[in-house]
Every structure is written in C-alpha cells, then in structure tokens.
Amino acid sequence: MGKVTGFMEYERVEEGYKPVPERVKHYKEFVIGLDDQQAKVQGARCMDCGTPFCNSGCPVNNIIPDFNDLVYRQDWENAWVVLDSTNNFPEFTGRICPAPCEAACTLNVNDDPVGIKSLEHAIIDRAWDNGWVRPRAAKIRTGKKVAVVGSGPAGMAAAQQLARAGHDVTLFEKNDRIGGLLRYGIPDFKMEKSHIDRRVEQMKAEGVTFRTGVMVADLPKGSKVTNWARETVSAEQLKQDFDAVVLTGGAEQSRDLPVPGRDLDGIHFAMEFLPQQNKVNAGDKVKGQIRADGKHVIVIGGGDTGSDCVGTSNRHGAASVVQFELMPQPPEEENKELTWPYWPYKMRTSSSHEEGCEREFAIATKEFIGEKGKVTGLKTVRVEWKDGKMVEVAGSEQMLKADLVLLAMGFVSPVGSVLEAFGVDKDARGNAKASTEFIGGYATNVPKVFAAGDIRRGQSLVVWAIREGRQAARAVDEFLMGFSDLPR
C-alpha cells in the first residue's frame, strides 16, 4: 500500500475529453489520459483492502491493488507485468470497458471509487510506448493443431494463449480484417483499430496464423458465399484437419422491432450502420453508405450500441438525434447500500450523449410512418410498469419526425449457421450449450469442439469475452495434453 492515508487526502481524477466542437469533426480517439502525477495520485487512493472486491468485480480478475501500488511508486514496468498476467488486451478494456471493478471498489461504498480503468489505460499505453509489449513465442511446440473460429476478443485471447502453450493455431474470420465487433462494431472514436493491428502483429510473431474472408459453414451446393467472405470451409473439414476447434463468434443476431411500417426504407439495424463507417475510416469504399447527414435520426435502444449510433450520427452532421429507451429513466445516483459491490442501476451519460442528443425514456414505437416507401416519422406511446407488466399510458401517443431510424436494441443470439454446421447443442436462448466447469469446461456436445465468448454466454462485455477466451484456451490445452500450465 503506497500511501496509507491516500484515500482520505486525494479526490478521484477523471480522464479528460477534447472539446466537443473539435472531436465531432473526426473519428479519432479524444480521451486525454492521466499524466504521471495524476496517475500517481490515483494509485495512492487505493486502500489495498483485505478483501479486494475490485478483483472479483473484474471478469478477468486483474490484480488491481498491486498495479495501483506500483503506479503510485511510478514502477510502470512492473505495473505492466502485473496487468499483463491476467489480461491479454488491456488497451481494449482500458478504453471501452464499463469498469465493473470500479463499481466493486470498497472506496465506492461512501466515496468516489479509484479510477482503475484510467490507470489500466495509462499502464498499457506506457508499455507500448516503451517497447515492453513483445511477442512471447513458445519454446517448445506440441505439434497439436487448433482452429479458432471468430477473431473478436474471445477468439484473439484463446488463440494467443494456445499459441503460447506451443500449439499451432489458425484463427478464422469471415470478415476482411481481424477483430470481430471490436473492428466493425465499436466506432474508431472509442477505440482506433491500430490497437488491434499491433496485437495481430504480435500474435503472428507468436505463431498464430490468420485467415480472413473465410466463412465456416456447411452451405448447400450452389449457394453463393456472402459478400464479406471470399471462401467457405466446412465444419467437417475443420474437425478433420485440427485436433481441436474453438468457436468464439459473436452474438450477431440483432433484435428486431416488428411493428407496422418496418419495411420502409431508412430503417436499419445498428450493425448495418456502424460497420460501414469503420470500413470508410479504414480506407474502403462503401457503395450506398447509410449516412445521417442533415437527417432527423431516431436511435431505438438506450445501451452502448445506441450511444455509438448517436456519436456516429453527430459526426455525419445529423440535423437532430433522439435516443429512445423503453425503460423508465434511472436515478441519478444508485442506492449503494443495496447494490454495492454489484453493477448499479443508475443514469449514465456517455461522451456521445454530451455531443448532442435528446433522450426519451419510457417510450415505445407503435408504428413507422412513411411516404413513397421511405420512413418519415414514428408513432410513439409512453409506457409505464404496473404489476411487473408494461402498459401504455392513455392519451400519450405522439408523432415524431424521422428520416433515419437505427435499431440498437441488443442481440438475441449468435447466427445459427456455425452452430448448426458443427451440430452443437443450443441452450434456451440459442447460444452454444457448454458449461464452464473446471473439468471439461467450455466443451460442447461435439467431440473436440469448444465454445467461448458471446457465442456461448450471449451478448456481453469485451472483458467477459477475454476471460472466456483465456479459460477456454486452458480447457483446450488440458484436453490436448492432459494438463495445462495456462492460467485459468
């Protein structure tokens, strides 16, 4: 514990943002990280609790008090060593994780929590700047071959861990670039894709083979490969060619809104809208790109994906942006006595909201209105919850203008073709059925086929995907070798 009384002497210091008028003109990151002195002070606030709830609040179980103390002592290299021991990609989580560790911080009981996420961000950026992040190729090769299907955070984590264990790993991705939803779901202004690219180079040096534009599915004869994949590989072929297969795709089936007028032009899923802008930022030409320029935009869905649509629409130059949320407006402050150390229910305002957005709560869409086949507005109604059921508020119907509607209501399940191709059993929600038990964890009903990440647990956080990828890698290593030295 660096400074015994630090938590009583110092206030929480937040990372800064570049001004709104400046940042909405581009798609670059705009967070201003902590300088050395600010990080030192933030590390000093850590209480080094006897029971550090932050560790269990973090899905990858980062050893948070230790790296807080090392930052306080300005021992950045060892802080990086501690962080790297539990998290393959802190540059991802340090930018886009909602930080459940901070909600669980003991200081959060009656004060502002330690800025753990900002310290993680500071540590990994210094590690890259100082050349401490290097490939760690296995000294001994096992001769075992593993296929990882899906290159999001779960797939990348599993592939890296398995390569470091000495296995020959091939990572298959249906898109043209590695990263999954990190690449084509999260806007560049939240996380620039250079962070993915340099990890890919590190993993190549560690022995991972990347195959992009490859769809793993059993398509009927005569079927055409989709426009984002150049070729297909059958599930049977992978099972023949590899000693183990790890399925790590995302939960990509978007939740729809089947109300009258849904077929009008100008109504799109968020995951039609967001990837196109990321492709343009990468230098691709996107024919017929969905744009918000000069349009009245309504985003249906109050979560992070909806917030990303808000930020992207503002950068396009939308005339107005309104975001709908079906649930009532949360309280400004959580009831810590009831929720700590768990993730609290409270009002959250993102940087995208601050850039310009009207937010509507407890509102439902009854119908899309259009002219000449194009959406021009929405018919809405206010809702309230009575006896656990949602009911409409009488006389609350209204019409709102809309030229572009973006559906960002979450994801219901993975696309079924991969699971069906392998014959993997599904749970009640359509996800791959695989337990996380210590013995035989992440194994599906199909011999030597494992599943981890959103394809197994459903829509979740990047940090949970990293955790599952790491744990699945250990399970696969045990399956192949009879034991494993990989951390779980």
Side-chain angles (χ1 to χ4, degrees):
M1 187 172 183
K3 188 170 179 59
V4 176
T5 57
F7 69 96
M8 296 188 290
E9 297 177 31
Y10 303 123
E11 299 295 326
R12 177 183 168 99
V13 177
E14 300 280 359
E15 292 181 314
Y17 294 150
K18 292 180 181 177
V20 170
E22 175 186 338
R23 71 190 195 226
V24 295
K25 294 178 181 178
H26 60 76
Y27 294 90
K28 300 292 185 182
E29 293 178 10
F30 52 81
V31 172
I32 303 171
L34 304 181
D35 61 30
D36 283 6
Q37 182 58 32
Q38 289 172 325
K40 178 182 175 71
V41 168
Q42 197 61 222
R45 295 186 71 235
C46 180
M47 301 168 70
D48 195 16
C49 310
T51 303
F53 291 93
C54 56
N55 284 31
S56 56
C58 172
V60 293
N61 303 123
N62 280 336
I63 311 170
I64 294 166
D66 289 32
F67 69 62
N68 284 345
D69 177 62
L70 289 163
V71 169
Y72 169 74
R73 300 177 188 280
Q74 299 289 277
D75 187 352
W76 289 98
E77 186 168 6
N78 277 319
W80 147 248
V81 170
V82 171
L83 180 57
D84 181 60
S85 69
T86 55
N87 188 348
N88 293 68
F89 313 117
E91 62 270 45
F92 302 165
T93 52
R95 285 170 167 80
I96 59 176
C97 184
C101 55
E102 293 187 13
C105 175
T106 303
L107 194 54
N108 191 42
V109 172
N110 59 358
D111 200 346
D112 293 327
V114 175
I116 301 166
K117 178 180 174 180
S118 63
L119 292 179
E120 182 176 5
H121 187 181
I123 292 168
I124 183 58
D125 281 6
R126 282 161 177 78
W128 279 108
D129 290 344
N130 288 284
W132 301 330
V133 185
R134 306 183 188 96
R136 296 207 300 271
K139 295 180 180 178
I140 300 174
R141 310 303 301 180
T142 66
K144 301 291 186 179
K145 297 169 64 179
V146 182
V148 179
V149 181
S151 72
M156 290 182 69
Q160 185 168 60
Q161 293 294 96
L162 287 164
R164 289 175 174 177
H167 306 304
D168 295 327
V169 181
T170 302
L171 186 55
F172 294 87
E173 169 57 49
K174 67 178 183 293
N175 287 307
D176 56 349
R177 297 180 178 92
I178 296 297
L181 290 182
L182 286 172
R183 173 76 66 177
Y184 288 130
I186 295 170
D188 288 14
F189 57 79
K190 288 178 67 175
M191 193 189 82
E192 294 176 20
K193 305 315 176 223
S194 58
H195 304 299
I196 303 173
D197 295 337
R198 62 186 177 186
R199 281 294 183 180
V200 168
E201 292 306 311
Q202 179 196 31
M203 291 169 65
K204 285 180 179 177
E206 293 172 341
V208 178
T209 299
F210 292 90
R211 290 186 60 186
T212 57
V214 180
M215 178 68 177
V216 177
D218 291 341
L219 299 179
K221 289 184 178 180
S223 298
K224 292 183 178 179
V225 180
T226 55
N227 59 3
W228 29 254
R230 298 186 302 272
E231 60 178 304
T232 60
V233 174
S234 71
E236 195 60 38
Q237 191 66 53
L238 287 189
K239 288 190 287 184
Q240 289 179 15
D241 293 348
F242 293 89
D243 299 295
V245 179
V246 190
L247 306 179
T248 60
E252 297 179 293
Q253 194 70 47
S254 298
R255 181 174 282 108
D256 207 346
L257 185 58
V259 299
R262 171 64 180 88
D263 58 344
L264 291 166
D265 288 343
I267 304 171
H268 303 276
F269 288 118
M271 289 310 298
E272 296 176 274
F273 176 68
L274 295 173
Q276 290 186 352
Q277 186 57 56
N278 285 7
K279 284 179 175 288
V280 170
N281 294 344
D284 295 350
K285 292 182 179 180
V286 177
K287 186 178 180 180
Q289 182 189 359
I290 303 166
R291 300 275 311 179
D293 312 65
K295 295 178 180 178
H296 297 282
V297 180
I298 292 184
V299 179
I300 300 179
D304 289 339
T305 304
S307 172
D308 294 343
C309 290
V310 170
T312 302
S313 296
N314 281 325
R315 282 161 178 75
H316 283 182
S320 66
V321 183
V322 181
Q323 185 178 19
F324 286 3
E325 169 55 56
L326 188 64
M327 301 299 291
Q329 181 171 336
E332 290 293 333
E333 296 293 334
E334 73 270 33
N335 186 333
K336 293 184 178 181
E337 292 181 352
L338 290 179
T339 60
W340 182 88
Y342 301 108
W343 186 247
Y345 177 66
K346 68 175 183 178
M347 185 70 171
R348 301 178 191 277
T349 300
S350 73
S351 59
S352 291
H353 294 140
E354 294 170 352
E355 292 165 1
C357 174
E358 181 181 345
R359 303 171 74 182
E360 296 282 355
F361 293 88
I363 189 170
T365 302
K366 295 197 71 173
E367 183 180 355
F368 296 113
I369 307 300
E371 293 179 6
K372 298 179 180 179
K374 293 188 176 182
V375 68
T376 58
L378 285 76
K379 182 185 290 186
T380 66
V381 65
R382 297 290 171 176
V383 296
E384 60 184 0
W385 296 83
K386 291 183 177 180
D387 300 323
K389 296 182 179 180
M390 185 185 73
V391 296
E392 297 181 0
V393 177
S396 66
E397 290 189 2
Q398 59 180 337
M399 294 287 296
L400 292 178
K401 182 176 176 59
D403 307 306
L404 176 63
V405 178
L406 301 171
L407 306 180
M409 301 175 293
F411 305 89
V412 294
S413 65
V415 176
S417 58
V418 174
L419 299 182
E420 291 160 6
F422 281 93
V424 170
D425 286 346
K426 301 177 186 178
D427 64 17
R429 296 186 299 155
N431 302 319
K433 191 174 182 180
S435 74
T436 58
E437 295 298 324
F438 187 76
I439 302 298
Y442 297 91
T444 69
N445 62 297
V446 181
K448 74 179 185 181
V449 176
F450 298 75
D454 287 6
I455 200 170
R456 190 202 70 82
R457 65 179 286 117
Q459 177 189 357
S460 191
L461 304 176
V462 167
V463 67
W464 271 107
I466 295 172
R467 171 196 172 103
E468 294 227 339
R470 288 171 61 91
Q471 292 191 341
R474 179 183 171 94
V476 171
D477 191 33
E478 287 179 332
F479 166 75
L480 294 173
M481 307 303 294
F483 68 96
S484 179
D485 291 327
L486 290 174
R488 191 172 191 274

mmCIF file of all heavy atoms in Angstrom, residues 79-108:
data_model
loop_
_atom_site.group_PDB
_atom_site.id
_atom_site.type_symbol
_atom_site.label_atom_id
_atom_site.label_comp_id
_atom_site.label_asym_id
_atom_site.label_seq_id
_atom_site.Cartn_x
_atom_site.Cartn_y
_atom_site.Cartn_z
ATOM 1 N N ALA A 79 4.207 -2.625 -13.080
ATOM 2 C CA ALA A 79 2.754 -2.486 -13.140
ATOM 3 C C ALA A 79 2.224 -3.160 -14.396
ATOM 4 O O ALA A 79 1.182 -3.833 -14.380
ATOM 5 C CB ALA A 79 2.363 -1.011 -13.119
ATOM 6 N N TRP A 80 2.967 -2.992 -15.494
ATOM 7 C CA TRP A 80 2.590 -3.657 -16.747
ATOM 8 C C TRP A 80 2.683 -5.172 -16.612
ATOM 9 O O TRP A 80 1.801 -5.896 -17.085
ATOM 10 C CB TRP A 80 3.483 -3.163 -17.885
ATOM 11 C CG TRP A 80 3.782 -4.181 -18.939
ATOM 12 C CD1 TRP A 80 4.979 -4.757 -19.212
ATOM 13 C CD2 TRP A 80 2.847 -4.773 -19.851
ATOM 14 N NE1 TRP A 80 4.863 -5.671 -20.238
ATOM 15 C CE2 TRP A 80 3.553 -5.693 -20.645
ATOM 16 C CE3 TRP A 80 1.481 -4.619 -20.066
ATOM 17 C CZ2 TRP A 80 2.945 -6.451 -21.630
ATOM 18 C CZ3 TRP A 80 0.876 -5.378 -21.053
ATOM 19 C CH2 TRP A 80 1.608 -6.273 -21.831
ATOM 20 N N VAL A 81 3.723 -5.678 -15.949
ATOM 21 C CA VAL A 81 3.884 -7.124 -15.776
ATOM 22 C C VAL A 81 2.687 -7.697 -15.016
ATOM 23 O O VAL A 81 2.147 -8.753 -15.382
ATOM 24 C CB VAL A 81 5.200 -7.435 -15.038
ATOM 25 C CG1 VAL A 81 5.262 -8.909 -14.642
ATOM 26 C CG2 VAL A 81 6.404 -7.065 -15.906
ATOM 27 N N VAL A 82 2.254 -7.007 -13.975
ATOM 28 C CA VAL A 82 1.104 -7.468 -13.187
ATOM 29 C C VAL A 82 -0.166 -7.449 -14.036
ATOM 30 O O VAL A 82 -0.948 -8.413 -14.045
ATOM 31 C CB VAL A 82 0.927 -6.590 -11.930
ATOM 32 C CG1 VAL A 82 -0.389 -6.918 -11.222
ATOM 33 C CG2 VAL A 82 2.099 -6.792 -10.975
ATOM 34 N N LEU A 83 -0.388 -6.370 -14.767
ATOM 35 C CA LEU A 83 -1.585 -6.252 -15.605
ATOM 36 C C LEU A 83 -1.592 -7.304 -16.703
ATOM 37 O O LEU A 83 -2.619 -7.931 -16.989
ATOM 38 C CB LEU A 83 -1.648 -4.838 -16.196
ATOM 39 C CG LEU A 83 -2.823 -4.505 -17.116
ATOM 40 C CD1 LEU A 83 -4.158 -4.743 -16.421
ATOM 41 C CD2 LEU A 83 -2.725 -3.059 -17.597
ATOM 42 N N ASP A 84 -0.460 -7.518 -17.321
ATOM 43 C CA ASP A 84 -0.347 -8.483 -18.421
ATOM 44 C C ASP A 84 -0.576 -9.916 -17.952
ATOM 45 O O ASP A 84 -0.937 -10.783 -18.751
ATOM 46 C CB ASP A 84 1.045 -8.356 -19.053
ATOM 47 C CG ASP A 84 1.244 -9.314 -20.217
ATOM 48 O OD1 ASP A 84 0.487 -9.219 -21.192
ATOM 49 O OD2 ASP A 84 2.162 -10.163 -20.142
ATOM 50 N N SER A 85 -0.382 -10.174 -16.683
ATOM 51 C CA SER A 85 -0.520 -11.549 -16.188
ATOM 52 C C SER A 85 -1.966 -12.039 -16.212
ATOM 53 O O SER A 85 -2.208 -13.251 -16.182
ATOM 54 C CB SER A 85 0.033 -11.650 -14.756
ATOM 55 O OG SER A 85 -0.796 -10.949 -13.841
ATOM 56 N N THR A 86 -2.923 -11.122 -16.290
ATOM 57 C CA THR A 86 -4.335 -11.524 -16.239
ATOM 58 C C THR A 86 -5.141 -11.075 -17.449
ATOM 59 O O THR A 86 -6.238 -11.582 -17.681
ATOM 60 C CB THR A 86 -5.018 -10.937 -14.990
ATOM 61 O OG1 THR A 86 -4.841 -9.516 -14.982
ATOM 62 C CG2 THR A 86 -4.433 -11.528 -13.712
ATOM 63 N N ASN A 87 -4.631 -10.119 -18.215
ATOM 64 C CA ASN A 87 -5.421 -9.517 -19.291
ATOM 65 C C ASN A 87 -4.579 -9.456 -20.562
ATOM 66 O O ASN A 87 -3.560 -8.763 -20.598
ATOM 67 C CB ASN A 87 -5.878 -8.109 -18.881
ATOM 68 C CG ASN A 87 -6.856 -7.493 -19.857
ATOM 69 O OD1 ASN A 87 -7.065 -7.991 -20.958
ATOM 70 N ND2 ASN A 87 -7.462 -6.383 -19.461
ATOM 71 N N ASN A 88 -5.005 -10.149 -21.613
ATOM 72 C CA ASN A 88 -4.251 -10.154 -22.861
ATOM 73 C C ASN A 88 -4.281 -8.811 -23.574
ATOM 74 O O ASN A 88 -3.325 -8.461 -24.265
ATOM 75 C CB ASN A 88 -4.811 -11.218 -23.813
ATOM 76 C CG ASN A 88 -4.591 -12.627 -23.310
ATOM 77 O OD1 ASN A 88 -5.180 -13.020 -22.314
ATOM 78 N ND2 ASN A 88 -3.739 -13.374 -23.996
ATOM 79 N N PHE A 89 -5.365 -8.063 -23.396
ATOM 80 C CA PHE A 89 -5.546 -6.848 -24.199
ATOM 81 C C PHE A 89 -6.056 -5.677 -23.351
ATOM 82 O O PHE A 89 -7.187 -5.205 -23.533
ATOM 83 C CB PHE A 89 -6.514 -7.120 -25.351
ATOM 84 C CG PHE A 89 -6.230 -8.388 -26.106
ATOM 85 C CD1 PHE A 89 -7.154 -9.426 -26.125
ATOM 86 C CD2 PHE A 89 -5.032 -8.554 -26.788
ATOM 87 C CE1 PHE A 89 -6.896 -10.603 -26.810
ATOM 88 C CE2 PHE A 89 -4.751 -9.728 -27.468
ATOM 89 C CZ PHE A 89 -5.684 -10.759 -27.481
ATOM 90 N N PRO A 90 -5.226 -5.157 -22.442
ATOM 91 C CA PRO A 90 -5.674 -4.038 -21.600
ATOM 92 C C PRO A 90 -5.968 -2.771 -22.401
ATOM 93 O O PRO A 90 -6.703 -1.909 -21.921
ATOM 94 C CB PRO A 90 -4.487 -3.813 -20.646
ATOM 95 C CG PRO A 90 -3.666 -5.048 -20.729
ATOM 96 C CD PRO A 90 -3.856 -5.598 -22.091
ATOM 97 N N GLU A 91 -5.380 -2.633 -23.608
ATOM 98 C CA GLU A 91 -5.667 -1.454 -24.408
ATOM 99 C C GLU A 91 -7.110 -1.463 -24.906
ATOM 100 O O GLU A 91 -7.667 -0.403 -25.227
ATOM 101 C CB GLU A 91 -4.699 -1.327 -25.586
ATOM 102 C CG GLU A 91 -4.746 -2.458 -26.585
ATOM 103 C CD GLU A 91 -3.779 -3.585 -26.243
ATOM 104 O OE1 GLU A 91 -3.711 -3.997 -25.071
ATOM 105 O OE2 GLU A 91 -3.094 -4.060 -27.161
ATOM 106 N N PHE A 92 -7.730 -2.647 -24.984
ATOM 107 C CA PHE A 92 -9.148 -2.719 -25.341
ATOM 108 C C PHE A 92 -10.007 -2.351 -24.131
ATOM 109 O O PHE A 92 -10.848 -1.462 -24.205
ATOM 110 C CB PHE A 92 -9.534 -4.126 -25.807
ATOM 111 C CG PHE A 92 -8.757 -4.656 -26.984
ATOM 112 C CD1 PHE A 92 -8.790 -6.002 -27.302
ATOM 113 C CD2 PHE A 92 -7.990 -3.823 -27.786
ATOM 114 C CE1 PHE A 92 -8.094 -6.518 -28.393
ATOM 115 C CE2 PHE A 92 -7.270 -4.317 -28.879
ATOM 116 C CZ PHE A 92 -7.321 -5.677 -29.180
ATOM 117 N N THR A 93 -9.779 -3.056 -23.033
ATOM 118 C CA THR A 93 -10.608 -2.836 -21.843
ATOM 119 C C THR A 93 -10.364 -1.464 -21.223
ATOM 120 O O THR A 93 -11.279 -0.852 -20.672
ATOM 121 C CB THR A 93 -10.360 -3.938 -20.804
ATOM 122 O OG1 THR A 93 -8.952 -4.049 -20.557
ATOM 123 C CG2 THR A 93 -10.875 -5.273 -21.304
ATOM 124 N N GLY A 94 -9.128 -0.961 -21.309
ATOM 125 C CA GLY A 94 -8.827 0.359 -20.753
ATOM 126 C C GLY A 94 -9.517 1.484 -21.499
ATOM 127 O O GLY A 94 -9.555 2.621 -21.016
ATOM 128 N N ARG A 95 -10.066 1.164 -22.681
ATOM 129 C CA ARG A 95 -10.776 2.169 -23.468
ATOM 130 C C ARG A 95 -12.290 1.971 -23.462
ATOM 131 O O ARG A 95 -13.030 2.954 -23.417
ATOM 132 C CB ARG A 95 -10.254 2.146 -24.916
ATOM 133 C CG ARG A 95 -8.899 2.792 -25.070
ATOM 134 C CD ARG A 95 -8.291 2.558 -26.437
ATOM 135 N NE ARG A 95 -7.136 3.439 -26.652
ATOM 136 C CZ ARG A 95 -5.920 3.218 -26.164
ATOM 137 N NH1 ARG A 95 -5.688 2.121 -25.460
ATOM 138 N NH2 ARG A 95 -4.948 4.079 -26.392
ATOM 139 N N ILE A 96 -12.761 0.723 -23.525
ATOM 140 C CA ILE A 96 -14.188 0.515 -23.754
ATOM 141 C C ILE A 96 -14.896 -0.292 -22.666
ATOM 142 O O ILE A 96 -16.105 -0.492 -22.745
ATOM 143 C CB ILE A 96 -14.412 -0.173 -25.118
ATOM 144 C CG1 ILE A 96 -13.701 -1.518 -25.184
ATOM 145 C CG2 ILE A 96 -13.955 0.731 -26.248
ATOM 146 C CD1 ILE A 96 -13.960 -2.285 -26.470
ATOM 147 N N CYS A 97 -14.192 -0.744 -21.657
ATOM 148 C CA CYS A 97 -14.852 -1.493 -20.588
ATOM 149 C C CYS A 97 -15.642 -0.526 -19.701
ATOM 150 O O CYS A 97 -15.147 0.565 -19.375
ATOM 151 C CB CYS A 97 -13.808 -2.244 -19.759
ATOM 152 S SG CYS A 97 -14.532 -3.294 -18.470
ATOM 153 N N PRO A 98 -16.856 -0.893 -19.278
ATOM 154 C CA PRO A 98 -17.612 -0.028 -18.358
ATOM 155 C C PRO A 98 -17.081 -0.037 -16.931
ATOM 156 O O PRO A 98 -17.589 0.678 -16.074
ATOM 157 C CB PRO A 98 -19.023 -0.612 -18.419
ATOM 158 C CG PRO A 98 -18.821 -2.044 -18.778
ATOM 159 C CD PRO A 98 -17.636 -2.068 -19.709
ATOM 160 N N ALA A 99 -16.066 -0.835 -16.664
ATOM 161 C CA ALA A 99 -15.360 -0.870 -15.376
ATOM 162 C C ALA A 99 -16.226 -1.362 -14.213
ATOM 163 O O ALA A 99 -16.470 -0.631 -13.254
ATOM 164 C CB ALA A 99 -14.774 0.502 -15.059
ATOM 165 N N PRO A 100 -16.673 -2.620 -14.264
ATOM 166 C CA PRO A 100 -17.352 -3.176 -13.089
ATOM 167 C C PRO A 100 -16.442 -3.246 -11.870
ATOM 168 O O PRO A 100 -16.927 -3.283 -10.733
ATOM 169 C CB PRO A 100 -17.771 -4.577 -13.556
ATOM 170 C CG PRO A 100 -16.885 -4.895 -14.720
ATOM 171 C CD PRO A 100 -16.606 -3.593 -15.381
ATOM 172 N N CYS A 101 -15.120 -3.215 -12.102
ATOM 173 C CA CYS A 101 -14.173 -3.197 -10.986
ATOM 174 C C CYS A 101 -14.351 -1.946 -10.141
ATOM 175 O O CYS A 101 -14.223 -1.992 -8.903
ATOM 176 C CB CYS A 101 -12.741 -3.269 -11.514
ATOM 177 S SG CYS A 101 -12.338 -1.980 -12.721
ATOM 178 N N GLU A 102 -14.652 -0.830 -10.780
ATOM 179 C CA GLU A 102 -14.817 0.430 -10.039
ATOM 180 C C GLU A 102 -16.113 0.423 -9.227
ATOM 181 O O GLU A 102 -16.165 0.962 -8.127
ATOM 182 C CB GLU A 102 -14.770 1.611 -10.994
ATOM 183 C CG GLU A 102 -13.402 1.804 -11.640
ATOM 184 C CD GLU A 102 -13.299 3.078 -12.471
ATOM 185 O OE1 GLU A 102 -14.192 3.942 -12.366
ATOM 186 O OE2 GLU A 102 -12.326 3.201 -13.245
ATOM 187 N N ALA A 103 -17.157 -0.195 -9.789
ATOM 188 C CA ALA A 103 -18.400 -0.318 -9.025
ATOM 189 C C ALA A 103 -18.172 -1.131 -7.760
ATOM 190 O O ALA A 103 -18.798 -0.894 -6.727
ATOM 191 C CB ALA A 103 -19.475 -0.966 -9.891
ATOM 192 N N ALA A 104 -17.241 -2.121 -7.836
ATOM 193 C CA ALA A 104 -16.971 -3.001 -6.700
ATOM 194 C C ALA A 104 -15.914 -2.454 -5.746
ATOM 195 O O ALA A 104 -15.663 -3.051 -4.696
ATOM 196 C CB ALA A 104 -16.528 -4.372 -7.208
ATOM 197 N N CYS A 105 -15.275 -1.345 -6.085
ATOM 198 C CA CYS A 105 -14.232 -0.762 -5.239
ATOM 199 C C CYS A 105 -14.791 -0.444 -3.853
ATOM 200 O O CYS A 105 -15.864 0.137 -3.719
ATOM 201 C CB CYS A 105 -13.709 0.518 -5.916
ATOM 202 S SG CYS A 105 -12.520 1.460 -4.935
ATOM 203 N N THR A 106 -14.065 -0.829 -2.812
ATOM 204 C CA THR A 106 -14.531 -0.585 -1.451
ATOM 205 C C THR A 106 -14.697 0.912 -1.174
ATOM 206 O O THR A 106 -15.603 1.326 -0.447
ATOM 207 C CB THR A 106 -13.549 -1.194 -0.429
ATOM 208 O OG1 THR A 106 -13.420 -2.593 -0.696
ATOM 209 C CG2 THR A 106 -14.030 -0.988 0.992
ATOM 210 N N LEU A 107 -13.863 1.724 -1.768
ATOM 211 C CA LEU A 107 -13.979 3.166 -1.587
ATOM 212 C C LEU A 107 -15.307 3.687 -2.134
ATOM 213 O O LEU A 107 -15.793 4.744 -1.718
ATOM 214 C CB LEU A 107 -12.802 3.860 -2.285
ATOM 215 C CG LEU A 107 -12.529 5.329 -1.962
ATOM 216 C CD1 LEU A 107 -12.380 5.552 -0.475
ATOM 217 C CD2 LEU A 107 -11.281 5.797 -2.698
ATOM 218 N N ASN A 108 -15.907 2.939 -3.061
ATOM 219 C CA ASN A 108 -17.169 3.338 -3.667
ATOM 220 C C ASN A 108 -18.345 3.221 -2.707
ATOM 221 O O ASN A 108 -19.446 3.684 -3.017
ATOM 222 C CB ASN A 108 -17.444 2.489 -4.920
ATOM 223 C CG ASN A 108 -18.580 3.018 -5.754
ATOM 224 O OD1 ASN A 108 -18.708 4.222 -5.965
ATOM 225 N ND2 ASN A 108 -19.438 2.130 -6.232
#
